[in-house]
Amino acid sequence: MIQEIASILVTAGHEAEFETGVAQAKPLFMRARGCHGVALHRSIENPQQYTLVVDWETVENHMVDFRESADFQEWRKLVGPHFAQPPQVHHETKVL
């Protein structure tokens, strides 16, 4: 099990629309091969800053199965217009 960690900066004033878009997109993730969960966190100090955490079985489930799917394109349609800059994405695995 790995986690996709995406740091997302949203354009000021778009926070509610972004959160709605993520909520609408959750089923897209959940039906993707190898996806086991999605969580969205919002910064208290900087309310335009979000962290999206997606649990995947493998990096390939994220980078190939999901990223090359029509559902990924739909995800980007729902949330992309609210990005202030491209998301910063990396993958982690629990070690302790």
Side-chain angles (χ1 to χ4, degrees):
M1 185 75 67
I2 62 102
Q3 289 186 318
E4 166 198 358
I5 311 293
S7 295
I8 302 169
L9 184 63
V10 173
T11 302
H14 287 238
E15 297 86 354
E17 294 92 340
F18 172 73
E19 291 176 18
T20 298
V22 174
Q24 291 173 336
K26 186 174 180 179
L28 304 174
F29 284 94
M30 294 308 299
R31 70 181 177 212
R33 181 178 183 192
C35 183
H36 292 278
V38 178
L40 183 66
H41 304 268
R42 186 176 186 183
S43 172
I44 294 168
E45 291 80 12
N46 181 3
Q48 293 170 261
Q49 184 66 51
Y50 291 84
T51 302
L52 178 73
V53 180
V54 185
D55 297 321
W56 297 100
E57 285 182 32
T58 67
V59 172
E60 291 75 21
N61 287 150
H62 171 225
M63 296 301 294
V64 178
D65 298 326
F66 183 64
R67 294 282 305 254
E68 294 179 4
S69 73
D71 283 344
F72 177 77
Q73 298 303 319
E74 184 63 24
W75 152 251
R76 291 306 291 255
K77 285 181 192 175
L78 289 167
V79 298
H82 309 295
F83 294 163
Q85 62 190 39
Q88 301 297 308
V89 179
H90 70 278
H91 299 93
E92 296 182 357
T93 187
K94 188 174 183 177
V95 294
L96 182 64

